Structure formats: structure tokens, C-alpha cells
Amino acid sequence: MKSVKNLPLTDECHHWTHLGEVPWDLQKYWQQRYTIFPFYDEGIYMTEDAWYGVTPEPVAIHLVYDFVGFISADKRTVIDMFAGVGGNAISLAMATEEDGYTPRFDKVIAIELDAATLACAQNNAAIYDVADKITWVLGDSFKFLELLANSPDKLGADLRVDIATTTIFASPPWGGPGYRTDEIFDLTTMEPYNLAALHEAYKAMDHALYLPRTSDLRQIAKLVPDGVKIDVVQYCVEGASKAMVAYIPAAVEAPAVSPADQSMS
């Protein structure tokens, strides 16, 4: 698995300028385009699916600010597991230290499974002048983590990062029939990846999960041992909640117990 640069925009990538160009089921999202990307008119491109899942820029900026406060200073690499058209990756790449100039992350890795979507992300990041500050990967983010943990030699040299100093941001697809209407959304039904599958893949590192606003807090709480604090934040735009983010520390493995220790217990 290697990083990629300058993927070409395809027929699946759109920059609509008039309402009449927009499919009817996307028109309400397009009418909010300046909330999603204030620089939309500068040449932002989106795939049709991306309109449903992109993080609005005000939310992306705020949650990255919170994310930086959640992680320790030694976390110098961040992996955006579902890059989409770049909303979160752009904000991660623009994050700075308290001086307002020094980049907070030495490396931002953005992974996306769909080539057209990743081409949009690279185009959009260029508009914000951060495309070259992001290492782009076209592929399966779960496969990436598996290789990173078990076969790093199968990754390009620029992708072999130290897990101990790496953190994860994940805004997965939500899927399922109920997240828009359920009063409390059951995260075991989230498609194609439910909460348990995501946490199992990410638990070796501090990670942030961007989830439906009505997600079941009890299910999130069960991810961590008793007594361990996690932060869960609701993010709103113009007074309306858009999503919640759970900031979850890496799991601490219990030390192995030797047979001698067991015999003494």
C-alpha cells in the first residue's frame, strides 16, 4: 500500500453552480454549501454521496481544536480513517500549536476507499493550500492498520509511522435505517461498520469517533473500563446538533500473569 498524489477529477466529481444542475435529493445540501465549505465557489468538488457525510467546516474546525486538547503532546501523527472529500483532513492539516504557526501534527494521513472521492479531497485541500501537507492513501483503512501493526514493510516508507505517537480520527459511514429518525440510535446496527468493529480496530491508539447525534451513550461508555473517563461532545451548526464525537483513550492492556504469580494468588 502506497500513498498517491494528484488523482484526476472524474465524471463522478461535481462542482455545481446552479440549483437546476443538482439532483433533487441533494438540493437541500447544496443550498447549505457555504456552511459546509465557505470556499465552495473557489472550486470545491464533491461526489454525490459526499454531500450526505461531509463534516461542515465550522464543526470540523471546532472538533479538531477539541481533538488536539484531548490527545497528549507526543501524538505527532494523525490518521483520518475515512477521508471523504477532505473536510476533516483539511482541518487536521491546518491545526497549529498554541503559537498559531507551528503545525500541530508532523504527519496527517488521509485514507479513502473511493478514487473519485479522494480526487475531490485532494482538489479541495489544494484550495486550502494544505494538499501537500497530507499523505493521501487510496485503499481500505482497516487493511492499512493491519499492515501497520503486523507487516509495516508492505507499506510505503512514508506510511510507516510509530503507533505509540499516532492517533486516529474516524468519521465512518453511518448507514442503517434509523440514525435519522431514532430517538436513540443503536450503534450495533450502524452500517457497514458498527461501534464494536470500529473500536476493536482502533483501541491500540487514542481515537475520536464521529457518530450520529442520537447515538446511545451507554454503548459508548461500555467501550472503556470502569473509572476511565471519556469525553463525548455534541457539535451544532446554527443551533442544530449535527453529530457527536466520542474521544476515547487507547486501551491499556492488563499485564500478563505468570503461572508463578497465579500459584501465589
Side-chain angles (χ1 to χ4, degrees), residues 184-201:
I184 299 177
F185 180 58
D186 183 355
L187 292 164
T188 67
T189 67
M190 193 163 61
E191 300 172 359
Y193 317 109
N194 65 21
L195 181 65
L198 294 167
H199 181 62
E200 182 64 26

Side-chain angles (χ1 to χ4, degrees), residues 256-265:
V257 179
S258 70
D261 292 334
Q262 290 177 334
S263 65
M264 295 174 62
S265 62

Side-chain angles (χ1 to χ4, degrees), residues 209-227:
L209 298 177
Y210 187 91
L211 299 168
R213 60 184 176 82
T214 58
S215 297
D216 192 331
L217 292 174
R218 295 165 298 183
Q219 293 174 335
I220 297 171
K222 288 179 180 178
L223 298 178
V224 295
D226 290 344

Side-chain angles (χ1 to χ4, degrees), residues 31-130:
Q31 289 173 328
Q32 301 171 34
R33 62 196 180 281
Y34 298 121
T35 298
I36 297 172
F37 277 114
F39 290 168
Y40 181 84
D41 289 345
E42 300 301 314
I44 294 293
Y45 273 76
M46 307 272 282
T47 61
E48 292 190 16
D49 286 346
W51 286 99
Y52 295 108
V54 63
T55 304
E57 185 173 307
V59 173
I61 291 171
H62 196 164
L63 68 84
V64 167
Y65 176 84
D66 290 341
F67 183 52
V68 167
F70 156 69
I71 59 176
S72 59
D74 66 333
K75 306 299 182 181
R76 304 303 304 176
T77 296
V78 60
I79 305 172
D80 182 353
M81 301 294 288
F82 301 94
V85 293
N88 296 307
I90 290 168
S91 288
L92 289 165
M94 294 177 69
T96 62
E97 301 284 7
E98 292 184 358
D99 62 12
Y101 297 99
T102 307
R104 171 58 183 81
F105 297 106
D106 297 333
K107 183 180 286 288
V108 176
I109 297 174
I111 307 174
E112 171 56 45
L113 189 58
D114 179 70
T117 304
L118 189 60
C120 290
Q122 292 177 333
N123 171 83
N124 298 341
I127 291 171
Y128 286 81
D129 200 28
V130 294

Side-chain angles (χ1 to χ4, degrees), residues 118-173:
L118 189 60
C120 290
Q122 292 177 333
N123 171 83
N124 298 341
I127 291 171
Y128 286 81
D129 200 28
V130 294
D132 292 338
K133 298 179 181 179
I134 301 171
T135 303
W136 305 96
V137 179
L138 177 62
D140 185 320
S141 60
F142 293 97
K143 180 64 174 178
F144 175 88
L145 287 186
E146 179 186 338
L147 293 175
L148 182 61
N150 301 314
S151 304
D153 57 305
K154 294 182 180 179
L155 295 172
D158 57 345
L159 301 178
R160 299 172 200 163
V161 297
D162 180 7
I163 290 177
T165 59
T166 298
T167 186
I168 285 173
F169 181 86
S171 176

